[in-house]
Amino acid sequence: MYLCVFIYAMDKEQLIKALRHVFVSGTQGNIVDNGTLQNLQTVGEVVVVELLLYSPAMHIKKKAEVDILKAIHQYAAPKAKVKINIQVDVQEKPKTRDTKVPGVKNVIAIASGKGGVGKSTVAANIAIALAEMGFQIGLLDADIYGPSIPVMFDMESARPIAVHIDGKEKIRPVDNYGVKVLSLGFFAGANQAVVWRGPMATKALRQLIHDTHWGTLDFLIIDLPPGTGDIHLSLVQELPLTGAVIVSTPQKVALADARKAIAMFRLEAVKVPVLGLIENMAYFTPEELPNHKYYLFGKEGVQQLSTNLKIPFLGEIPIIQSIREAADVGRPAILQDNTPSAETFKYITRNTVNQLVSRNKELPPTEALRITTMAGCIAK
Ligand code: ADP
């Protein structure tokens, strides 16, 4: 009888459930869903828990150890011996993968179903956060409906120049804040981009991706246009994306469109892993009422979606006036050191890197698609 109870108690699912009761100071969400828990195994009678913490503070480590022990004993296995290994602040560089763009190791699409949910704001801040972490970063603004990255990077008048590399003429991206930026907005006639038909837009994007001298990049971040149409499919056809990150507000209509975007990436013929979901404009806290949260677009809709679809939740961003102002003056919020907005974007970026590291460990590189239309894709 004891043996049966013990085997049941060491069930991994049960242990994971137990660990969902553990929270680490300075992070959002429980240690299972926020990526702090790196590994969990049972070796004989011993539960081995591996954590990755970003704070070297001893009291945070100690509290995590005590809470993990308590949670396992209380919710899963009362008599288990527990061994906890904690790694601190190790920014593991993502494994390199071959993509079709020479020198580019990981290509991440930032996508949303609906427009105006903050996709470009998130792309800009994540790109700079990654550069600040020491990665080599490119950012391609592929939003044909409204390329807003030039404004966010204070580059409205920038015009990329051509360079000759190995006898070929290539576009040189424009550098700011440690990021190599290229946007449809840099080119004459970009205002007309919105009326481009699918093939024209795809051709322009193809050129921007392949005829650019990106140099060596750890990440190429692509700010996709909102939606799930042919242009998106053409893009995944052009690039073996390492993963996609979906941004949505908690509003019902935005969530419905986010679902469509997720479904597109999950199509059998596309199969780009969704690294996680970000809830933007999660709530509003007025300055004069710092303890109040007003859920203007609904409460925790994206978090619920991530639970329902079993996709990691990368974090929430409140509505903060300075995020909008920072974007408008061309100095994204991440650059305002030690502010809640900068910390939030850093936290979300670290979670994204963690998810990417796990994705690269588990899955083979994404194959580029060989089909061109949404209809073709579904029919497959
Ligand atoms: P999308 O790329 O999805 O169309 P944008 O990133 O252009 O959306 O954001 C739309 C508007 O909302 C911009 O004016 C931006 O500055 C603002 N915005 C985005 N996220 C936030 C936020 N968390 N708080 C305040 N304003 C935001």
Side-chain angles (χ1 to χ4, degrees), residues 8-249:
Y8 173 70
M10 296 296 272
D11 181 78
K12 203 163 174 185
E13 287 284 301
Q14 201 74 18
L15 288 167
I16 285 176
K17 264 193 195 162
L19 291 176
R20 285 209 160 91
H21 292 270
V22 180
F23 298 82
V24 170
S25 157
T27 65
Q28 286 183 326
N30 66 69
I31 62 166
V32 176
D33 297 317
N34 70 15
T36 302
L37 178 68
Q38 295 284 297
N39 200 5
L40 174 69
Q41 346 175 7
T42 50
V43 182
E45 295 180 13
V46 184
V47 180
V48 183
V49 179
E50 285 177 30
L51 298 188
L52 177 63
L53 295 184
Y54 289 97
S55 166
M58 197 45 97
H59 69 277
I60 291 183
K61 270 164 87 174
K62 285 270 168 258
K63 186 164 184 319
E65 284 172 352
V66 170
D67 289 353
I68 286 171
L69 197 65
K70 268 195 205 157
I72 290 179
H73 285 170
Q74 186 175 345
Y75 300 106
K79 298 187 182 184
K81 288 180 194 148
V82 181
K83 186 169 183 311
I84 302 167
N85 299 326
I86 299 184
Q87 260 186 310
V88 177
D89 208 10
V90 178
Q91 281 302 335
E92 191 176 349
K93 280 220 171 191
K95 265 194 193 165
T96 61
R97 303 220 151 258
D98 285 337
T99 66
K100 281 184 179 168
V101 191
V104 178
K105 293 171 191 162
N106 295 280
V107 184
I108 299 188
I110 312 281
S112 69
K114 192 175 176 304
V117 297
K119 173 181 53 57
S120 301
T121 308
V122 169
N125 282 285
I126 286 186
I128 298 173
L130 286 167
E132 288 190 343
M133 284 159 76
F135 294 112
Q136 291 179 296
I137 304 301
L139 172 61
L140 173 63
D141 176 10
D143 190 343
I144 51 163
Y145 304 120
S148 47
I149 294 294
V151 173
M152 292 183 186
F153 274 73
D154 194 16
M155 292 179 162
E156 277 166 285
S157 52
R159 293 289 171 266
I161 58 166
V163 284
H164 288 272
I165 306 287
D166 300 331
K168 284 187 191 147
E169 198 171 62
K170 298 266 181 183
I171 306 164
R172 191 163 78 192
V174 187
D175 279 33
N176 203 6
Y177 309 131
V179 179
K180 293 176 182 175
V181 182
L182 203 55
S183 168
L184 282 171
F186 290 160
F187 299 93
N191 290 342
Q192 275 103 54
V194 71
V195 294
W196 285 352
R197 304 179 70 181
M200 280 168 82
T202 309
K203 195 171 163 218
L205 292 178
R206 186 181 296 146
Q207 246 185 322
L208 287 193
I209 292 162
H210 292 287
D211 295 349
T212 296
H213 179 57
W214 292 106
T216 305
L217 294 184
D218 291 306
F219 297 94
L220 175 61
I221 307 288
I222 302 187
D223 181 11
L224 286 185
T228 48
D230 283 356
I231 290 166
H232 302 78
L233 274 164
S234 302
L235 256 189
V236 289
Q237 183 179 30
E238 285 305 310
L239 275 181
L241 294 173
T242 323
V245 169
I246 312 282
V247 181
S248 179
T249 65

Side-chain angles (χ1 to χ4, degrees), residues 357-376:
V357 170
S358 335
R359 180 262 180 239
N360 281 351
K361 274 183 193 153
E362 286 160 18
L363 297 173
T366 310
E367 291 290 325
L369 275 176
R370 275 179 194 79
I371 45 168
T372 47
T373 66
M374 190 72 176

Side-chain angles (χ1 to χ4, degrees), residues 115-121 152 280-281 317-320 323-324 327:
V117 297
K119 173 181 53 57
S120 301
T121 308
M152 292 183 186
N280 191 27
M281 310 192 190
I317 307 162
I319 299 174
I320 302 179
I323 293 182
R324 199 269 306 149

Side-chain angles (χ1 to χ4, degrees), residues 178-379:
V179 179
K180 293 176 182 175
V181 182
L182 203 55
S183 168
L184 282 171
F186 290 160
F187 299 93
N191 290 342
Q192 275 103 54
V194 71
V195 294
W196 285 352
R197 304 179 70 181
M200 280 168 82
T202 309
K203 195 171 163 218
L205 292 178
R206 186 181 296 146
Q207 246 185 322
L208 287 193
I209 292 162
H210 292 287
D211 295 349
T212 296
H213 179 57
W214 292 106
T216 305
L217 294 184
D218 291 306
F219 297 94
L220 175 61
I221 307 288
I222 302 187
D223 181 11
L224 286 185
T228 48
D230 283 356
I231 290 166
H232 302 78
L233 274 164
S234 302
L235 256 189
V236 289
Q237 183 179 30
E238 285 305 310
L239 275 181
L241 294 173
T242 323
V245 169
I246 312 282
V247 181
S248 179
T249 65
Q251 195 182 1
K252 239 183 173 178
V253 282
L255 291 171
D257 287 356
R259 266 180 186 276
K260 283 188 204 158
I262 295 164
M264 182 190 75
F265 285 114
R266 283 183 161 182
L267 280 172
E268 189 52 35
V270 176
K271 269 205 172 155
V272 168
V274 178
L275 300 173
L277 307 187
I278 296 172
E279 180 157 304
N280 191 27
M281 310 192 190
Y283 57 85
F284 175 68
T285 297
E287 243 172 74
E288 62 282 12
L289 294 169
N291 297 321
H292 284 62
K293 288 181 177 179
Y294 293 95
Y295 296 93
L296 304 183
F297 294 114
K299 194 175 173 189
E300 296 171 2
V302 182
Q303 295 194 44
Q304 272 153 25
L305 186 65
S306 72
T307 309
N308 294 345
L309 298 181
K310 298 192 171 53
I311 295 174
F313 182 64
L314 300 174
E316 61 178 16
I317 307 162
I319 299 174
I320 302 179
Q321 189 171 330
S322 62
I323 293 182
R324 199 269 306 149
E325 287 167 351
D328 285 352
V329 298
R331 267 190 74 76
I334 181 81
L335 293 163
Q336 297 160 2
D337 267 350
N338 300 322
T339 56
S341 325
E343 290 308 310
T344 300
F345 283 118
K346 282 182 194 168
Y347 167 79
I348 286 174
T349 304
R350 286 197 300 258
N351 278 346
T352 308
V353 175
N354 282 343
Q355 291 305 329
L356 184 72
V357 170
S358 335
R359 180 262 180 239
N360 281 351
K361 274 183 193 153
E362 286 160 18
L363 297 173
T366 310
E367 291 290 325
L369 275 176
R370 275 179 194 79
I371 45 168
T372 47
T373 66
M374 190 72 176
C377 205
I378 288 165

